[in-house]
Structures are given as C-alpha cells and as structure tokens.
Amino acid sequence: MSSEEETAITVEQLKGSEILLNGLIAEGVETIFGYPGGAIMPIYDALYDYQDRLKHILVRHEQGATHAAQGYARTSGKVGVVFATSGPGATNLITGLADAQIDSTPMVCITGQVFAHLLGTDAFQETDVINITTPVTKWNYQVTDASEIAEVLAKAFHIAKTGRPGPVLIDITKNAQLQLTAYNGYQKCEHIRSYRPAPIIRNNYIEQAAALINEAKKPFVLFGQGVLLGNAEQEFKAFVEKTGIPAAWTILGAGAIPTDHPLNVGMLGMHGNYGPNVLTNECDVLIAIGMRFDDRVTGRLDKYAKQAKVIHLDIDPAEIDKNVKAHVPVWGDCKETLPLLTALVKEKKHEEWLEKFRTYTREEIEQCIDAEINPQSGELTMGEVINQLNQLTKGDAIIVTDVGQHQMVACRYAKFNHTRSNITSGGLGTMGFALPAAIGAKFGAPEKTVVAVIGDGGFQMTLQELGTIMQSGIDVKIMILNNQFLGMVRQWQELFHDRRYSFVDITSPDFVALAKSYYIDGQKISERAELKDALKTMLDHKGSYLLEVMVTKENNVFPMVPQGCSVSEIRLK
Amino acid sequence: MESKLEKKEFNITVYTENQVGLLSRIAIIFSRRKLNIESLNTSPSEVESIHRFNIVINETEEVVRKVARQLEKQVEVLKVYYNTNEDVIWQELALYKVPTEIIAEHVSVERLLREYGARAVVIRKDYTVFETTGHREETDALVVVLQQYGLIEFVRSARVAIIKASDGFHTKLKQFENREPGESASENEYLNNGDKVFTM
Ligand SMILES: Cc1ncc(C[n+]2csc(CCOP(=O)(O)OP(=O)(O)O)c2C)c(N)n1
C-alpha cells in the first residue's frame, strides 16, 4: 500500500450496505418488512449489527411485506420500508407496489440485484426489476456503485412522501452493497431540479372557488384520502363547519372527519350511501377535495353531476380534469389551499339541503340498513357483525379490510372517530391485503386496537402471514366473515349473470385449527346469541386472536350503483 | 371548424434529466393508453445534462393534454409542451441510396438536386446517397422520382421541431435550478386551458 492510499483511508470507509442502513436510520425508519435472499445478503448481514436501531419483521411472502409496509404507512403517516431479494423476491412485490401506487401510499422498497457485471446475462435470479416496476412506481432507480447509495436513498424518501405520495423502488446490485466507499454522512434530499411536488398557490382560483361556494344553493363536498395525506383534517373540518356544506367520502377518505359529524353525510360510490349518490346529480356546486373521481365513485361519467359547477382541489395536476372537468381547478396541497378558501367563504347553514340528505338516509335505513344490521331471525349478516363490533370498539379501533362484500359492509357500517383508522385497498382492490396490512397497521399504531375484517376467500390468499404474527408476537384481531362464497363475485353473478355461480363456491380449512397451529387463539361462531360475547372475547384477548363468523351465504350489499349506470340510478335492492 | 375532439398531429416537446430508463417510463405513458407514437426523437438539448424529446402523435387535444400532464408528472421530467404543426417549425431528414450508374445515365442529376433541394452525401462507383430535409410531402416527392431509377434504400429520421413562440424553456430552466421556483416553473399551463374557468 502506498502512503497516498493510506492517508485516503482515514476518510470513513463504509460498505454500501452500511451506508444504506445509516440512511434509513437518518430518515427516521424504525421498522422494515422484508425477506432475505442471495442478492440482498450483504444488506441483511449489515442489519445483524443494526438490530438495536432497526426492527426487521420477517414476513412469509414478499407481497406480505409490501402490504404490511402500506398498513404501517397509512396508520403512522410515515414511509413504509421493504427489503426483498432479486428475481422472485422482487417480482413478488409487484401487487403491493401497484396497490400503493394507485392508493398514493408512501413506500420505499429496496431490492437486491445480481452483481453489476452480470446484468443482462440472465444470471441466476436476475430479472429486469426496473423495467418491470416502472409502471407501478412513482420512481425507481438501479444502483450499481456504493457511492450512489446515500444520495439515491435520500431522493427516494423525498419522492415517496412529497407531492402525491407513492411507492419508490431502489434496486442495488450485490457489488454495490459489498463495495467499500468513502462516506461523508447522510444528507436528506429537499430539492430535485425536475420535481415540483408543491405548486405555487394561485389566489385567483381560490377567489373563484370562494365566489362559487358563496353563491351556491346546494353545494356538496366530496372528500378523499388527500385530506389525510395532507394532514389537513383540522383545516377540512374548519372549512366544512364554516360553510355548513354536506360532505361525503370515498372509501379512502373515511375518517377524515368522524362518521358521526353532523355534516358527514356518508359514503360515495358503487356501494355508497343513497343520498350522496343521488344528490350528486342535484347539487349546484361540487367541491372535490383530495379525491380523483374514480369510476367506482362516478359510475357513468356522461351522466355524472352535469348540472354542477365543479371545484377540484388536488395536489396532483394530472388528476384535475382527468375524469370530471373542473370549472375551477385548485392545484395544491389542501393543507394550504383549504385555509385560504375558508378565509374567503361566508359562514352559512344549508339546513334545507341537508334535510334532503337526511330524508334519503331515512329511506335507506328503512329499506336496507335496518334489515342488515338488526335482523331478528335467520343467519348472521355481515352488517350486524360490523355494527356489533362498532359498539364494542366505540369507533376507536383501526379497521383493516380485505376486498369483497365484507369490505363494502365494513366501510359502510364501521364508525371512525379518528383519522387514519380505515385501512383498505381502494384503487386496486387487492384480495389478500388485509392480513399483512393489519400487521403493518399495528406496528404503525401500537397503542390502537387493530381489527382485520377478511373474507374466507381473501384470507386464503395471504394466510401464511399468520406466521409473521406468530413470530413477531404482535396483537392483531382477525375476523373472518365466512359466507362460503367469493361473495362479491357471486353477488354480481346473481344480479348480472342469471345466477350462474361459476367457480365462486369456495371451501375453507378449519381456520381456528389453522390459527392454533400458529399458536394464535380463536373460535368460530354462527349464532346470533354468541356474537357479542365472541367479539368481546376477541377484543379482550391479550395478543392476537382469530374469530371466524359464519354469515348468511347469499347476502347482497345494497345500495348498489350497477356497472355502467349513473349514480342516480342507485338501487336499494 | 377547429374542434378539440378532432384528431390532428401534435408535437410534444419533453425536457428531461438525462437518465437511464426514462425512455421506457415515457413510452409506457403512451403505450398503456394505446396511443401510437408517429415519430420520436431524443437528443441532448442546448442545456447540458438536459435531454429533449420530440414526440409526434395524431390525437385529439383532449387526449394530448392529459398525456402531457402525465408526462410532466414524472419525477425526471422538467417541462412538457404540446403544439400543433402550425405552432412549430419542423423538419425531417431523408437519405436515398440509388445506383450511381443508372442515375448518371438517366437523370439530370443537377436538375434533381436543384428541384428537390437535395445534396449528394456520398458518391461511389456502385451507389450514390442523397439527402433532403423538409416536411413529409417534400421528402416523399423525391422517393417517387427515385423509385423509377432503382432506389435501393430509403430512410427518414424522426421529426425535430422548434416551437415558434418559445422563449420558453430557457428562462424557465433558471427557475428550475432555484430551490424556490418562480411562478412559471410551478405553473401547470394546462390548468389554464380549462374550457370555461369561471370568471366573475
Ligand atoms: C387478487 C384478487 N383476485 C381476484 C379479485 C376479484 N374479486 C373481488 S371480490 C372477490 C370475492 C371475495 O371473496 P371473499 O374474500 O370471500 O369476500 P366476500 O366478498 O365474500 O366478503 C373476488 C374474487 C380481487 N379483487 N383480487
């Protein structure tokens, strides 16, 4: 070694893998969900020495890691972090990435990759992760040299959590993980030349919006997850209360203001409430806040709110005018735009208009809600289970739902006193989401009761994560609503395919015995008389618990806006 | 009548960071919407480290506007403009390979060159390569003529276009480089193009 080289070594030299872990700590990461393998071994090797600072949760499948990271991000408001190895490890992330992308969940996934000199040679466990993940990430990048790691990681966190949040993937070749390089500390990224997460707010649009709102006779607010993502719950409440405008939510917006708030008029969309859907086609000014007019919300676009002037507040300019034309676009973070708007609007009450919503609510209660949540005979319904759960948790629990009928029922009937307590796969509708997401949700909000509500079908998609619960020893309540069908598909077959029940009849193992084999307690019930006690037992149980509730087989979720219909054609039965 | 719903050629200009993988990110935005790219040119811009894509598609303005916003949303994209053919100055380059012997015997090469504004790029015993630049019809016209004389090979480049009304990007770039962007760097131009932004 020459004397020159010796002096150079006095600058701190770290391995790429260590630089990565230091960076994660500097970003405030505490929990990582992951699964090791050959191409990410140097990072796991380094992690061995960082166990006191970084908690790693070993999942049972990489898809589980992504959903857990999503659950964690949604409850905590922080960035979810995932580790996976190359090839099959990385491809197992795709569903979770796509889900996080469409639901704007901040997530940073780190995948190992083969040595740089093997790239493009079909080496063992090599896949082109960057190209595969491009359509389902907000940003991705392949690192082939350790000297890039700190800067790329900082960029990744900045991109994942700012603007419209989303998933980011960094693929790191094995040589870069192993390579020693000079390390000058970690610097967070606050600026990327080509990236403009926050626009300059245009006062003229705010003024135009305020003028419309002040003139409106029947204004109507639609709110989505943007309110939560912007941490703008207070600002939102102030706006709604000052203007006295009825407000309805998308499933990802649930909880932004409490379910019982007098101006909260319910859920929008295909299985949403009657009033909000019908009255969308009657309001004169529609104020969309942090929501993106998903087709499950709008139904037929050509018959959607044509009579209304639309004001659209969104951080993502690509969402404005995408589906519904905005008369007044308010581009910006609603945490900033809402107070400006609130300052300009007049204090009002819209009693008569609100009363219209209440009239529809009464009709909906009479025609479908009552029978669903207070049945006097027959088999248990999903609605009464959720209603009962609600009464016991008093709206304070975090409810994580899977996808299907139970999801719609849970979103319709669960009450939320708190923000960030309804965790569900909205845009992608991913079955298998709930169990792993509930694990992450509990890590994100350890002081809260976390209840996963899952169908018998969806549970069987990721039930291996019971192993993760067992090993990490966390407390997640798992409630399987078993209707012995792929219920939501069966409902469509019943309504739109002449009851041709093609492959929706699903059999299940003994879920309670299965849970027991993972050392998780549980029970199965099917009688109304047992329901309350069984729920209490689950909630009072120390540690995780699985409750299987047998519910009526051919129950449908109503109201429903049939596919291809307008929101005012919503059916009550 | 000019209609927003009428399909026509649009020239999309995309300024990006110079980064591996960006081409596929941009291409995906078109392909997932089943939009056919008529012409694609990418090259460094006048500003170091910034690349410029010229993309031509035949679509309605409505679609182009949405695509432009999706493009601009990409982290590494600095700015996107879209323009009709009337709003840009554009050129395509064409090369024609013909047998030298036939050409020399049968064509008044001089006239050919003058009429079509062509230039001989290479003259060999076996073949000659001509070059023209211009709009599609112009470069096509010479193909028709040379086909009679045993055209061996023809190739045309993607379109390059300069926006007539742009002082545009150069000044914006300075704002991009600042941490606190100026008004125009943060403005999404297409927001202003809403049909009837409410006015009082
Ligand atoms: C991964 C995945 N595959 C298929 C579907 C289509 N799908 C939507 S709902 C549903 C049925 C869900 O059945 P189950 O989990 O038993 O819940 P239920 O509707 O009975 O409450 C299916 C198959 C999906 N959303 N996700």
Side-chain angles (χ1 to χ4, degrees):
Chain A
M1 202 182 265
S2 75
S3 60
E4 246 178 56
E5 278 168 341
E6 271 168 38
T7 48
I9 287 171
T10 54
V11 185
E12 195 183 11
Q13 294 265 330
L14 285 185
K15 283 192 201 145
S17 55
E18 293 164 330
I19 293 175
L20 178 83
L21 299 184
N22 279 333
L24 292 175
I25 291 167
E27 291 288 353
V29 174
E30 288 159 356
T31 311
I32 298 161
F33 302 92
Y35 209 92
I40 198 170
M41 267 174 52
I43 290 175
Y44 273 86
D45 183 61
L47 193 57
Y48 196 73
D49 295 327
Y50 281 72
Q51 289 177 67
D52 52 335
R53 283 159 286 171
L54 289 169
K55 185 164 28 177
H56 177 273
I57 306 302
L58 179 68
V59 294
R60 293 300 182 268
H61 184 292
E62 289 86 352
Q63 182 186 351
T66 55
H67 297 325
Q70 290 178 275
Y72 175 87
R74 294 261 199 99
T75 54
S76 69
K78 297 190 203 159
V79 178
V81 179
V82 170
F83 283 176
T85 192
S86 64
T91 55
N92 277 347
L93 303 179
I94 303 300
T95 306
L97 285 168
D99 195 298
Q101 170 91 332
I102 198 162
D103 281 352
S104 315
T105 308
M107 178 157 85
V108 171
C109 295
I110 313 284
T111 49
Q113 181 55 280
V114 301
F115 284 91
H117 69 269
L118 294 173
L119 284 171
T121 66
D122 287 341
F124 177 66
Q125 293 195 328
E126 186 204 357
T127 44
D128 184 354
V129 177
I130 294 300
N131 269 313
I132 293 178
T133 59
T134 294
V136 290
T137 49
K138 184 174 174 188
W139 186 72
N140 61 8
Y141 191 86
Q142 185 171 62
V143 173
T144 50
D145 193 290
S147 63
E148 297 176 291
I149 289 177
E151 199 188 324
V152 169
L153 187 72
K155 241 175 123 170
F157 272 85
H158 179 55
I159 293 166
K161 65 190 180 193
T162 53
R164 177 173 175 178
V168 165
L169 180 136
I170 307 174
D171 193 40
I172 310 180
T173 57
K174 198 165 174 180
N175 57 296
Q177 299 170 39
L178 290 165
Q179 190 187 353
L180 268 176
T181 190
Y183 179 62
N184 307 317
Y186 184 82
Q187 239 147 12
K188 285 198 187 182
C189 170
E190 275 156 15
H191 174 75
I192 299 171
R193 176 171 68 177
S194 55
Y195 176 59
R196 291 271 161 262
I200 289 172
I201 301 204
R202 309 265 141 186
N203 274 323
N204 57 331
Y205 290 135
I206 306 264
E207 284 159 16
Q208 288 172 26
L212 269 185
I213 293 168
N214 287 336
E215 291 300 306
K217 299 277 175 295
K218 297 176 181 178
F220 186 24
V221 165
L222 316 181
F223 63 100
Q225 198 191 195
V227 177
L228 280 68
L229 291 170
N231 298 313
E233 293 88 344
Q234 286 313 316
E235 291 78 2
F236 177 66
K237 189 160 169 256
F239 169 75
V240 174
E241 286 178 350
K242 183 170 179 193
T243 54
I245 303 179
W249 39 277
T250 71
I251 62 172
L252 292 187
I257 53 171
T259 311
D260 284 334
H261 191 283
L263 290 167
N264 185 338
V265 293
M267 173 170 152
L268 293 162
M270 184 174 268
H271 291 288
N273 293 109
Y274 195 35
N277 274 311
V278 174
L279 295 173
T280 298
N281 278 347
E282 212 177 287
C283 66
D284 56 358
V285 174
L286 196 64
I287 306 139
I289 305 176
M291 58 85 74
R292 57 188 184 84
F293 291 109
D294 183 79
D295 53 274
R296 280 290 190 271
V297 162
T298 63
R300 262 181 87 146
L301 266 182
D302 60 344
K303 294 192 175 171
Y304 184 79
K306 288 293 170 207
Q307 78 297 341
K309 290 254 192 270
V310 176
I311 301 169
H312 194 171
L313 287 74
D314 208 293
I315 185 88
D316 181 355
E319 289 301 340
I320 296 174
D321 276 359
K322 188 181 83 178
N323 296 333
V324 171
K325 233 180 170 34
H327 295 79
V328 182
V330 183
W331 179 26
D333 185 340
C334 59
K335 178 130 189 129
E336 288 175 60
T337 53
L338 277 172
L340 297 174
L341 194 53
T342 307
L344 297 184
V345 292
K346 294 189 191 131
E347 220 172 309
K348 275 200 180 168
K349 294 216 174 355
H350 290 279
E351 256 319 308
E352 234 172 277
W353 172 229
L354 258 171
E355 186 49 36
K356 282 202 137 179
F357 285 88
R358 295 194 198 111
T359 309
Y360 278 109
T361 304
R362 282 192 293 272
E363 197 177 336
E364 187 179 344
I365 290 175
E366 263 169 41
Q367 293 206 34
C368 53
I369 298 182
D370 216 23
E372 178 68 29
I373 65 175
N374 299 310
Q376 299 307 317
S377 61
E379 292 169 305
L380 283 165
T381 66
M382 288 185 182
E384 71 180 313
V385 180
I386 299 295
N387 189 44
Q388 191 61 254
L389 174 72
N390 232 8
Q391 290 179 6
L392 294 170
T393 59
K394 302 191 173 65
D396 293 333
I398 289 177
I399 308 284
V400 186
T401 49
D402 211 71
V403 171
Q405 292 185 311
H406 64 280
Q407 174 191 33
M408 291 300 126
V409 171
C411 289
R412 282 176 53 84
Y413 299 125
K415 296 213 163 143
F416 301 106
N417 290 335
H418 308 283
T419 182
R420 296 187 174 277
S421 54
N422 175 42
I423 313 296
T424 194
S425 167
L428 202 66
T430 305
M431 283 173 76
F433 173 84
L435 185 64
I439 295 170
K442 183 71 185 177
F443 279 106
E447 71 296 344
K448 290 266 179 92
T449 300
V450 173
V451 184
V453 180
I454 318 182
D456 45 327
F459 186 70
Q460 292 184 67
M461 281 206 174
T462 50
L463 59 75
Q464 72 277 9
E465 300 307 335
L466 289 173
T468 309
I469 293 176
M470 170 180 71
Q471 187 166 0
S472 61
I474 56 156
D475 176 0
V476 172
K477 313 303 185 198
I478 304 156
M479 191 164 80
I480 300 176
L481 297 183
N482 188 348
N483 55 5
Q484 301 168 65
F485 269 125
L486 298 175
M488 187 56 99
V489 180
R490 189 211 53 75
Q491 173 169 348
W492 283 49
Q493 288 172 341
E494 177 184 334
L495 299 175
F496 312 118
H497 292 274
D498 251 355
R499 300 181 73 99
R500 285 153 56 89
Y501 289 172
S502 183
F503 300 98
V504 285
D505 194 337
I506 186 167
T507 54
S508 295
D510 180 340
F511 288 130
V512 176
L514 185 82
K516 290 235 160 89
S517 72
Y518 284 99
Y519 307 98
I520 295 168
D521 261 332
Q523 67 167 318
K524 171 175 174 172
I525 61 158
S526 53
E527 298 300 322
R528 184 157 293 117
E530 303 168 297
L531 179 62
K532 193 167 177 187
D533 282 346
L535 286 169
K536 267 196 182 150
T537 306
M538 172 179 84
L539 293 169
D540 294 343
H541 187 83
K542 278 215 158 30
S544 290
Y545 192 89
L546 184 144
L547 174 64
E548 179 183 2
V549 184
M550 299 306 291
V551 292
T552 179
K553 283 186 77 173
E554 295 181 73
N555 208 15
N556 289 337
V557 190
F558 281 113
M560 176 176 198
V561 180
Q563 177 103 322
C565 290
S566 90
V567 285
S568 36
E569 292 169 275
I570 184 165
R571 292 168 53 173
L572 279 170
K573 50 181 137 210
Chain B
M1 201 193 83
E2 278 246 332
S3 156
K4 288 209 157 183
L5 299 171
E6 188 192 328
K7 282 194 184 182
K8 58 181 155 188
E9 273 190 352
F10 280 93
N11 298 269
I12 302 175
T13 311
V14 187
Y15 287 97
T16 74
E17 300 288 352
N18 178 11
Q19 193 185 294
V20 177
L22 204 52
L23 176 59
S24 83
R25 215 168 243 286
I26 285 175
I28 283 169
I29 291 174
F30 291 87
S31 60
R32 85 177 269 210
R33 291 171 181 76
K34 266 196 155 318
L35 298 174
N36 193 25
I37 293 178
E38 307 284 333
S39 161
L40 168 82
N41 179 72
T42 163
S43 65
S45 73
E46 71 276 23
V47 186
E48 209 192 310
S49 82
I50 290 179
H51 266 231
R52 175 175 177 148
F53 287 67
N54 272 299
I55 302 169
V56 182
I57 66 169
N58 195 10
E59 256 309 328
T60 63
E61 186 182 347
E62 180 84 7
V63 170
V64 173
R65 179 150 44 94
K66 287 179 188 176
V67 165
R69 284 197 204 172
Q70 295 292 343
L71 288 167
E72 202 157 80
K73 186 171 152 174
Q74 302 308 310
V75 169
E76 268 106 5
V77 170
L78 285 97
K79 205 75 206 160
V80 180
Y81 300 95
Y82 67 81
N83 298 92
T84 58
N85 286 346
E86 295 80 68
D87 298 338
V88 297
I89 295 152
W90 56 276
Q91 295 280 279
E92 289 164 355
L93 166 79
L95 296 177
Y96 313 77
K97 189 201 271 183
V98 276
T100 304
E101 207 183 283
I102 306 182
I103 276 277
E105 277 174 21
H106 297 280
V107 193
S108 156
V109 172
E110 219 185 287
R111 211 196 80 214
L112 188 88
L113 300 189
R114 222 177 287 127
E115 252 179 48
Y116 293 92
R119 229 160 43 90
V121 188
V122 168
I123 303 170
R124 300 183 6 163
K125 260 210 218 110
D126 47 348
Y127 64 75
T128 297
V129 174
F130 295 107
E131 171 224 68
T132 65
T133 41
H135 288 192
R136 175 82 43 108
E137 318 81 74
E138 294 159 352
T139 51
D140 273 352
L142 189 53
V143 175
V144 175
V145 174
L146 291 179
Q147 251 160 1
Q148 302 162 44
Y149 304 106
L151 179 67
I152 302 167
E153 199 178 335
F154 166 71
V155 63
R156 184 168 32 222
S157 76
R159 178 185 297 186
V160 290
I162 274 182
I163 304 166
K164 287 182 186 165
S166 72
D167 53 347
F169 183 67
H170 221 89
T171 36
K172 284 209 173 107
L173 182 65
K174 294 204 180 67
Q175 299 181 357
F176 272 101
E177 290 190 324
N178 291 332
R179 277 167 168 266
E180 288 306 322
E183 298 253 319
S184 62
S186 286
E187 178 67 281
N188 183 316
E189 269 129 296
Y190 316 115
L191 284 185
N192 285 333
N193 295 349
D195 255 354
K196 315 175 216 27
V197 170
F198 173 74
T199 45
M200 279 173 291

